Amino acid sequence: TIMATQELTDKLIAAAARVFNKDAAGITTETNIAEELGSKSLDRMGMCAVIENEFDIVIPFAEFGMYKTIGELADFIASEAE
């Protein structure tokens, strides 16, 4: 299993803070995306777009919900970037 680097994780947390309008300090790899950040479709689409723009990784909107935490999402991005 490919683990995300701290740099990638920090970048993802900063992106999530912008998209979901939350304080980055309150977001960790354990943060549950749907329960703690929000499950609005618009925000999730925004997150997919940010991941595509910042990491050059395409994550289909339908698959975004498979990743429960920021950490799982970061590991997915790391594995795709290999």
Side-chain angles (χ1 to χ4, degrees):
T1 307
I2 308 280
M3 295 296 288
T5 63
Q6 190 60 51
E7 182 186 5
L8 186 156
T9 303
D10 290 345
K11 197 170 164 184
L12 184 62
I13 286 172
R18 285 196 314 274
V19 171
F20 293 100
N21 199 23
K22 303 278 185 196
D23 183 358
I27 302 174
T28 69
T29 54
E30 302 297 310
T31 298
N32 183 300
I33 298 166
E35 291 176 13
E36 297 175 62
L37 298 179
S39 55
K40 287 198 302 227
S41 292
L42 203 60
D43 291 340
R44 288 172 164 239
M45 276 192 278
M47 203 58 202
C48 290
V50 165
I51 290 167
E52 194 170 336
N53 292 337
E54 294 199 16
F55 299 99
D56 206 28
I57 303 289
V58 175
I59 178 167
F61 178 68
E63 287 176 23
F64 183 82
M66 291 174 18
Y67 306 99
K68 300 277 178 251
T69 65
I70 290 291
E72 286 177 21
L73 192 55
D75 289 343
F76 164 76
I77 292 168
S79 67
E80 289 292 302
E82 276 293 293

